[in-house]
């Protein structure tokens, strides 16, 4: 009897190993087709002339000789570096307020600070035009300078990137060891010296990492400069102009390669730093708790509320502008601008398309990315394959959306590509968005999986339970909070992204974020604001639903989570 | 306690009868495990009898857990063979091997109730529900946790979690039970209690069991045989008494229990010289060496009046309840020696720091090991 069982076991066993290998290969195929091949086609394209013949670096030579194009490099760097300095500085102060002071209303501020993420980067740009543009209320503040150009771009970037920086720095500053501060105090160290010798060094990796993330976001963003850049061109808008405006795909590829460089560089540096940042905080560390200090607390509260107010002002402006008849001459309220049907941009259909895309990406992406991360993290065997997959999963972070979108055109639109049928469908948008935002989801999954007991799979195997059953019954339920985080991250990003999809939509699959851009181009500024606001509220609704669902699941799971 | 006869181990019972002749449950030969440059296990040969309780004992990093994981198929060996009940399992994945395992962390599934944890391996066999329910109840009764079905692991104490893990591992009636430091996460009193419980359970079920531990007391108390490991090799295999009384190497002697080591010079095959004094000792194979290490347990050292035996001075006396631990210095060679003396005897001797005494080293209690230079 036992013999029969073992025989039976051995048979489905080989099946199980085979399934594992097949799924790993499928994951590899996804990233190779969705990332590597397109990037390779783009590189090849940058070395070809219009007829498709190999011309070596001739395109790059032409690029360097065109002052209008080379100027964008300087522009991009200026804007990105300025934004980085401003955002990191401001986010550090706010994060310090949240983690190291007893300022009142921390939760409210943290909620306010997340809001910019829920809007496409087009929204702050539109609001800034309303606030500081030719008919803006605060035009005089700029003292004759135009908002169309570097000032507008930097302000828009700061608004849109601030939440990312704040999250990283809050995490970095919240890991503190009270024992160090107590030791310093016992030695009679003044506060400013504790700050310089304990606080700053403790957060230095977080600061550096934050600076690189902010820089990458700033140099690759397309939405803000597209709306408010005016004649001030940056690399991301150059790609768009070359491809969509001049149909010069080769030059588009060249600019993309150049845009890839700073992102790639900051990716490499960031990886290097992450590797050095090991176990800064020992398990025995005692978390530091701030004690009230009215002057300091209110100073930080004032700063944070000012930032919160600015965020509300920007979002509020967009909402208000979408509701008034004709800014600034006729301020009576109307819903007219939400009737998109007669205008450019594809009307409400584009919003439905965005919803379809966002839900598809959230559902498919979450399952695929989490399952892949689990295979990479928790399988044994196929070491090389798993390491390769991990590297490929990290790579999308280094690829700007514009570059990925353009690369998709080159790869999928090739005559003779068996995947050519994907071109122009919603499926290619799903694939593109999934790959574009792969890395953060992968890292979230890996972090969650590393917290699980490493022996779960071994126990399952010893009890002769197939690995997918253990995944379904144990790993997935236990990791549910992380899984929900991933899905809402994907949803919001799919809803708000412009850069990658701007090259890939067709008239049937036009998206809301692209519609914002088209409405703006066509001069329907109020409707552009309306569409951006619509995206914002959609994201907000999903985010709130996510919060409610997480809360519900956590209370239901409290039975087994709490005591642990 | 329920009776554990018919339903729990019919297969194990019949198997045991048949394998009593065959004798061996597990035969390991030439097992080597390398992690890159590092050799974690070197040419391990080991045979484990049916129904035996074997402990792998050694300091951390000695390869004992690696050996256990190789047997389970969780860390496949680089070379060598493992044969279980005549079946070559060397290349089989864990799923195809016949074992249950309890990890140091227990690895209980936190989102499943105690019932679902124990039934985890049963469900897969698609047995009918009533049978599963009865079986789980039986297993929980076996580990003294009857009625805990609906609880979640987080609501249990460490010792209870450990027993749930044990029930889960036993649920599918594995032929081999693997325990990876199952008691090390528990506090001392629970550990001693569970030690007895596991041992009794194992004896009752007759399941062949391998336990990894770094706690020599645990190994001595529980094992039928102990496998002492060091640096990826087996130093000695034997019953607890053999290991304790006749350690095969200086490492085993030092690792198990407390041991005195004295630098001596071998003098023929049956004697040695400690300073100028010649002592008889059991046959040893250090005859050709110029130096050797004499090992004697503290409780084997006898103290007597100053005019008898080797003269020594008392350095310090520790009161340890049942006995006294006496730190001594041998007058002639200046070597340190520890003796454990019953409280009753100590009073007669008038023990006090600074006192001069005689020390007797009974020849049957002496063991000789190669000197440090000879080993290197």
């Amino acid at each position: 009897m036992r013999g029969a069982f073992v025989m039976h076991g051995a048979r489905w066993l080989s099946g199980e190993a085979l399934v594992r290998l097949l799924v790993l290969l499928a994951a590899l195929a996804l990233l190779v087709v969705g990332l590597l091949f397109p990037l390779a086609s783009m590189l090849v394209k940058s070395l070809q002339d219009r007829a498709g013949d190999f011309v070596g670096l001739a395109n790059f030579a032409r690029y360097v000789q065109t002052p209008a194009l080379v100027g964008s490099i300087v522009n991009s760097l200026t804007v990105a570096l300025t934004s980085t300095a401003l955002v990191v500085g401001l986010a550090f102060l706010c994060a310090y307020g949240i983690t190291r002071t007893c300022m009142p209303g921390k939760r409210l501020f943290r909620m306010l600070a997340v809001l910019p993420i829920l809007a496409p980067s087009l929204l702050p740009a539109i609001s800034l035009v309303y606030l500081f543009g030719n008919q803006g209320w605060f035009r005089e503040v700029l003292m004759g300078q135009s908002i169309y150009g570097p000032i507008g771009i930097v302000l828009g970037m700061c608004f849109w990137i601030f939440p990312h920086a704040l999250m990283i720095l809050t995490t970095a500053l919240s890991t503190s060891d009270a024992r160090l501060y107590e030791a310093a105090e016992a030695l009679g160290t003044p506060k400013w010296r504790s700050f310089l010798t304990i606080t700053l060094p403790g957060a230095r990796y977080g600061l550096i990492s934050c600076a690189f993330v902010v820089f990458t976001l700033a140099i690759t963003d397309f939405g803000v400069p597209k709306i408010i850049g005016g004649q001030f061109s940056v690399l991301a808008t150059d790609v768009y102009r070359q491809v969509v405006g001049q149909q010069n795909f080769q030059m588009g590829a060249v600019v993309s390669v150049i845009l890839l460089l700073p992102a790639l560089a900051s990716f490499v540096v960031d990886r290097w730093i992450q590797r050095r940042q090991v176990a800064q905080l020992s398990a025995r560390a005692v978390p530091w708790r701030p004690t009230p200090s009215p002057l300091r607390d209110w100073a930080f509260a004032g700063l944070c509320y000012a930032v919160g107010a600015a965020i509300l002002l920007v979002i509020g402006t967009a909402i208000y502008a979408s509701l008034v008849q004709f800014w600034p001459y006729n301020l009576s309220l109307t819903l007219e601008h939400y009737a998109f049907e007669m205008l450019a941009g594809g009307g409400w259909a584009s919003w439905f398309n965005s919803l379809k895309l966002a839900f598809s990406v959230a559902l498919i992406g979450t399952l695929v990315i989490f399952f892949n991360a689990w295979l990479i993290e928790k399988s044994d065997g196929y070491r090389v394959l798993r390491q390769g997959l991990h590297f490929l999963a990290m790579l999308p972070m280094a690829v700007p959306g514009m570059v990925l979108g353009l690369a998709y055109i080159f790869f999928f639109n090739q005559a003779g590509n068996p995947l050519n049928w994907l071109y122009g469908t919603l499926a290619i948008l799903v694939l593109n968005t999934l790959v574009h935002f792969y890395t953060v989801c992968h890292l979230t999954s890996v972090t969650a999986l590393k917290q699980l007991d490493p022996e779960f799979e071994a126990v399952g195997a010893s009890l002769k339970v197939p690995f997918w059953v253990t995944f379904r019954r144990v790993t997935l339920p236990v990791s549910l909070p992380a899984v929900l985080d991933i899905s809402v991250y994907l949803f919001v990003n799919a809803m708000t992204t412009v850069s990658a999809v701007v090259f890939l939509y067709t008239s049937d699959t036009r998206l809301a974020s692209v519609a914002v851009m088209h409405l703006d181009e066509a001069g329907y500024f109020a409707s552009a604001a309306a569409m951006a606001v619509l995206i914002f509220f959609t994201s907000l609704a999903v985010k709130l639903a996510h919060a409610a669902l997480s809360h519900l699941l956590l209370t239901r799971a409290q039975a087994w989570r709490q005591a642990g | 306690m329920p009776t554990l006869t018919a339903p729990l181990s019919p297969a194990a019972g019949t198997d045991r009868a048949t394998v009593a002749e065959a004798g061996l449950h597990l035969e390991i030969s030439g097992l080597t495990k390398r992690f890159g440059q590092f050799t974690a296990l070197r040419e391990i040969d080991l045979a484990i009898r049916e129904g035996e309780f074997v402990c792998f004992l050694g300091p951390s990093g000695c390869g004992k857990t690696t050996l256990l994981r190789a047997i389970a198929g969780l860390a496949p060996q680089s070379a060598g063979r493992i044969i279980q009940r005549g079946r070559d399992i060397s290349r089989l994945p864990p799923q195809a091997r016949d074992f249950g395992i309890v990890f140091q962390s227990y690895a209980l599934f936190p989102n499943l109730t105690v019932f679902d944890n124990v039934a985890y391996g049963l469900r897969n066999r698609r047995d009918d529900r009533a049978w599963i329910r009865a079986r789980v109840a039986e297993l929980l009764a076996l580990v003294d946790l009857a009625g805990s079905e609906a609880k979640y692991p987080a609501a249990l104490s460490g010792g209870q979690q450990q027993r749930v893990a044990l029930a889960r591992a036993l649920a599918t009636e594995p032929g081999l039970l693997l325990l990876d430091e199952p008691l090390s996460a528990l506090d001392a009193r629970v550990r001693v209690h569970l030690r007895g419980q596991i041992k009794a359970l194992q004896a009752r079920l007759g399941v062949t069991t391998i336990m990894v531990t770094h706690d020599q007391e645990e190994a001595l108390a529980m094992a039928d045989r102990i496998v002492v490991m060091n640096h990826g090799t087996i130093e000695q295999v034997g019953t607890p008494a053999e290991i304790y009384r006749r350690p095969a190497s200086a490492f085993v002697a030092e690792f198990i229990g407390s041991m005195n080591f004295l630098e001596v010079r071998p003098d023929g095959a049956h004697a040695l010289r400690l300073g100028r004094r010649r002592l008889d000792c059991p046959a040893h194979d250090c005859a050709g060496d110029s130096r050797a290490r004499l090992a004697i347990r503290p409780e084997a050292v006898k103290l007597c009046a100053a005019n008898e035996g080797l003269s020594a001075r008392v350095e310090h006396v520790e009161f340890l309840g049942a006995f006294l631990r006496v730190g001594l210095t041998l007058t002639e060679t200046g070597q340190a020696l520890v003796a454990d003396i019953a409280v009753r005897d100590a009073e007669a001797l008038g023990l006090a720091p600074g006192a001069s005494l005689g020390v007797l080293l009974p020849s049957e209690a002496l063991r000789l090991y190669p000197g440090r230079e000879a080993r290197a």
Side-chain angles (χ1 to χ4, degrees):
Chain A
M1 213 176 84
R2 181 174 291 271
F5 173 68
V6 171
M7 283 287 293
H8 173 69
R11 212 173 326 128
W12 59 247
L13 218 260
S14 50
E16 190 174 324
L18 193 67
V19 169
R20 203 180 272 266
L21 181 63
L22 285 178
V23 182
L24 276 169
L25 287 175
L28 186 69
L30 173 78
L31 286 170
V32 167
V33 171
L35 182 66
L36 275 194
F37 283 175
L39 285 182
S41 334
M42 192 195 71
L43 283 177
V44 170
K45 202 72 165 187
S46 71
L47 304 175
Q48 289 174 343
D49 64 11
R50 276 180 190 247
D53 296 320
F54 180 79
V55 291
L57 293 174
N59 289 329
F60 288 87
R62 199 145 50 83
Y63 178 86
V64 178
Q65 285 154 13
T66 316
L69 289 173
V70 179
S72 299
I73 297 183
V74 180
N75 287 354
S76 275
L77 285 175
T78 315
V79 165
L81 288 173
T82 315
S83 308
T84 307
L86 284 174
V87 170
V88 174
L90 200 57
F92 184 83
L93 288 175
C94 291
Y96 191 89
I98 291 174
T99 55
R100 301 294 174 94
T101 72
C102 292
M103 67 175 229
K106 285 183 188 176
R107 279 180 61 127
L108 179 70
F109 173 67
R110 292 184 80 156
M111 276 192 287
L112 283 179
V114 178
L115 293 180
I117 280 190
L118 305 176
S121 61
L122 303 154
L123 184 142
I126 292 172
S127 289
L128 287 171
V129 170
Y130 276 109
L131 288 169
F132 300 105
N134 296 335
Q135 264 109 41
W137 283 344
F138 303 113
R139 192 178 21 167
E140 295 76 24
V141 180
L142 295 177
M143 292 181 293
Q145 298 287 326
S146 170
I147 192 72
Y148 297 98
I151 299 177
I153 299 179
V154 168
L155 286 179
M157 296 274 189
C158 288
F159 170 87
W160 180 68
I161 298 171
F162 178 77
H164 297 270
L166 185 69
M167 272 190 271
I168 298 174
L169 291 178
T170 309
T171 315
L173 280 172
S174 58
T175 53
S176 61
D177 192 345
R179 296 174 306 172
L180 296 178
Y181 290 93
E182 281 162 9
E185 214 165 311
L187 293 168
T189 316
K191 283 258 182 334
W192 59 267
R193 220 172 140 231
S194 300
F195 177 81
L196 287 181
T197 53
I198 305 172
T199 311
L200 267 189
R204 70 179 183 279
Y205 290 117
L207 267 172
I208 298 171
S209 174
C210 173
F212 277 104
V213 167
V214 170
F215 177 79
T216 309
L217 285 171
I219 205 161
T220 59
D221 182 59
F222 169 68
V224 174
K226 175 76 184 77
I227 298 284
I228 209 169
Q231 297 303 310
F232 188 84
S233 55
V234 292
L235 289 169
T237 48
D238 274 353
V239 177
Y240 183 74
R241 201 167 301 145
Q242 290 297 328
V243 172
V244 175
Q246 305 180 10
Q247 297 287 311
N248 187 344
F249 288 93
Q250 287 68 32
M251 198 46 81
V254 169
V255 183
S256 292
V257 171
I258 289 163
L259 187 54
L260 197 53
L261 292 179
L264 213 54
S266 80
F267 168 80
V268 170
V269 174
D270 188 52
R271 288 284 86 201
W272 179 73
I273 288 165
Q274 297 283 337
R275 203 163 303 155
R276 305 201 63 182
Q277 184 184 22
V278 271
Q280 253 197 82
L281 200 67
S282 71
R284 290 227 303 272
V286 184
W288 184 82
R289 295 199 185 291
T291 45
S293 154
L295 186 66
R296 179 201 62 191
D297 294 349
W298 281 105
F300 276 100
L303 175 76
C304 288
Y305 291 157
V307 170
I311 290 170
L312 282 182
L313 176 68
V314 168
I315 293 172
T317 303
I319 298 173
Y320 184 59
S322 75
L323 291 174
V324 299
Q325 282 284 359
F326 190 54
W327 182 291
Y329 305 111
N330 181 354
L331 296 178
S332 55
L333 298 181
T334 174
L335 282 173
E336 214 168 75
H337 305 303
Y338 286 83
F340 305 113
E341 295 312 326
M342 305 313 291
L343 314 172
W348 279 87
S350 61
W351 180 71
F352 283 110
N353 280 333
S354 270
L355 272 189
K356 258 191 266 178
L357 171 72
F359 275 115
S360 311
V361 172
L363 187 70
I364 301 171
T366 306
L367 288 178
V368 167
I369 298 174
F370 185 75
F371 189 70
N372 285 351
W374 180 80
L375 278 173
I376 294 170
E377 192 60 30
K378 300 281 181 179
S379 321
D380 35 46
Y382 317 122
R383 244 177 86 93
V384 178
L385 186 55
R386 288 191 292 125
Q387 279 172 346
L389 267 175
H390 183 71
F391 175 77
L392 283 180
M394 295 307 301
L395 204 53
M397 196 189 250
V399 181
M402 297 303 285
V403 178
L404 193 65
L406 189 57
Y408 268 47
I409 300 186
F410 294 147
F411 179 65
F412 287 98
N413 202 21
Q414 249 164 31
N417 185 335
L419 293 169
N420 192 271
W421 57 271
L422 271 175
Y423 197 74
T425 62
L426 192 65
I428 198 171
L429 292 173
V430 173
L431 178 68
N432 179 273
T433 311
L434 195 162
V435 170
H436 187 180
F437 299 107
Y438 198 103
T439 307
V440 171
C441 304
H442 175 72
L443 286 175
T444 309
S445 309
V446 168
T447 309
L449 288 167
K450 278 197 196 297
Q451 285 164 1
L452 300 186
D453 193 304
E455 311 292 8
F456 281 163
E457 282 69 30
V459 168
S462 80
L463 294 170
K464 324 252 180 293
V465 176
F467 71 85
W468 54 83
V469 173
T470 304
F471 177 79
R472 179 175 57 77
R473 285 195 66 196
V474 181
T475 313
L476 196 58
V478 174
S479 312
L480 209 52
V483 170
L484 283 176
D485 284 350
I486 294 170
S487 64
V488 78
Y489 171 88
L490 283 173
F491 184 95
V492 167
N493 275 298
M495 207 64 213
T496 58
T497 186
V498 199
S499 55
V501 295
V502 77
F503 293 125
L504 298 174
Y505 72 91
T506 62
S507 53
D508 290 338
T509 58
R510 196 195 303 264
L511 299 172
S513 50
V514 177
V516 175
M517 198 184 86
H518 286 165
L519 287 165
D520 182 80
E521 274 176 350
Y524 302 111
F525 301 119
S527 287
M531 188 64 96
V533 166
L534 198 58
I535 295 174
F536 170 76
F537 278 112
T538 310
S539 304
L540 185 64
V542 167
K543 186 92 184 168
L544 289 176
H546 162 254
L549 190 63
S550 299
H551 181 73
L552 189 74
L553 282 169
L554 281 178
T555 14
R556 277 189 63 190
Q558 218 148 29
W560 59 269
R561 242 178 238 285
Q562 200 169 35
Chain B
M1 276 301 221
T3 49
L4 298 159
T5 46
L8 251 179
S9 47
T14 48
D15 278 2
R16 215 172 350 140
T18 49
V19 188
E21 291 109 35
L24 292 181
H25 181 91
L26 206 64
E27 295 168 75
I28 296 167
S29 51
L31 200 80
T32 298
K33 173 74 183 175
R34 279 181 291 268
F35 294 105
Q37 293 291 314
F38 175 69
T39 305
L41 293 173
R42 198 185 303 271
E43 297 278 327
I44 298 284
D45 295 310
L46 181 66
I48 291 171
R49 289 191 282 272
E50 198 66 45
E52 203 175 19
F53 194 123
V54 172
C55 276
F56 293 171
L57 176 66
S60 59
C62 71
K64 54 192 191 299
T65 295
T66 310
L67 182 55
L68 189 87
R69 293 180 77 89
I71 293 170
L74 296 170
Q77 67 279 7
S78 314
R81 291 210 315 161
I82 304 173
I83 298 193
Q84 186 179 25
R85 285 185 167 142
R87 187 167 71 116
D88 188 343
I89 59 166
S90 316
R91 299 195 163 277
L92 294 182
Q95 292 92 325
R97 301 188 184 196
D98 177 25
F99 71 95
I101 189 162
V102 176
F103 289 103
Q104 190 172 5
S105 63
Y106 318 138
L108 292 179
F109 303 132
N111 61 323
L112 301 182
T113 58
V114 168
F115 177 91
D116 285 328
N117 263 288
V118 176
Y120 198 79
L122 301 173
R123 293 223 163 148
N124 181 52
R125 295 205 195 168
R126 310 212 183 284
D127 295 306
D128 67 295
R129 292 185 158 273
W131 183 84
I132 290 178
R133 221 170 296 137
R135 171 93 182 133
V136 171
E138 190 180 20
L139 284 157
L140 286 179
L142 187 69
V143 295
D144 265 354
L145 282 172
S148 302
E149 278 91 340
K151 289 183 185 166
Y152 285 100
L156 302 177
S157 71
Q160 290 171 325
Q161 291 185 21
Q162 206 273 340
R163 284 179 281 157
V164 174
L166 194 60
R168 180 177 67 181
L170 290 170
T172 51
E173 285 175 35
L176 177 63
L177 180 62
L178 303 177
L179 308 172
D180 183 8
E181 306 241 10
L183 302 171
S184 62
L186 301 170
D187 61 56
R189 289 186 51 167
V190 180
R191 202 184 308 180
V192 172
H193 175 69
L194 264 180
R195 201 154 86 182
Q197 220 178 0
I198 292 177
K199 177 66 185 157
L201 190 66
Q202 188 270 340
R204 198 138 31 109
L205 299 178
V207 57
T208 310
T209 302
I210 299 175
M211 182 171 93
V212 161
T213 179
H214 63 267
D215 181 341
Q216 43 147 324
E217 195 183 309
E218 210 166 277
L220 292 171
M222 296 173 81
D224 294 327
R225 282 198 302 156
I226 296 176
V227 177
V228 186
M229 298 183 65
N230 189 28
H231 296 310
T233 56
I234 293 179
E235 292 271 340
Q236 186 173 8
V237 181
T239 65
E242 281 167 0
I243 300 266
Y244 191 79
R245 295 209 189 102
R246 292 191 296 281
S249 64
F251 170 79
V252 178
E254 199 167 11
F255 190 71
I256 310 273
S258 23
M259 185 66 92
N260 289 300
F261 282 101
L262 298 171
E263 293 292 331
V264 296
R265 293 192 309 281
D267 187 356
H270 295 280
L272 56 87
R273 281 185 184 278
L274 176 59
R276 284 188 297 276
R277 184 77 70 114
R278 187 171 193 271
L279 296 174
D280 288 334
C281 72
H284 59 80
D285 46 10
C286 304
D289 301 344
S290 61
R291 313 188 92 181
R293 300 171 78 200
L294 171 69
I296 181 166
R297 300 255 176 228
E299 69 267 22
V301 175
K302 291 205 166 69
L303 300 186
C304 55
N307 50 357
E308 298 173 54
L310 301 158
S311 79
R313 198 160 59 94
V314 177
E315 296 295 340
H316 54 86
V317 180
E318 279 173 61
F319 178 68
L320 293 173
F323 60 91
L324 297 176
R325 177 152 292 178
V326 187
L328 302 152
T329 307
L330 295 176
T331 318
E332 187 191 343
T333 61
Q335 301 196 76
L337 186 70
V338 173
D340 289 349
I341 305 295
V343 176
R344 214 179 310 124
D345 304 339
E347 283 162 8
L349 286 161
L351 279 180
S356 288
L357 297 165
V359 170
L360 296 176
L361 305 176
S363 63
E364 70 277 6
L366 301 182
R367 306 230 359 129
L368 218 54
Y369 300 103
R372 288 182 199 278
E373 314 77 66
R375 271 163 62 101

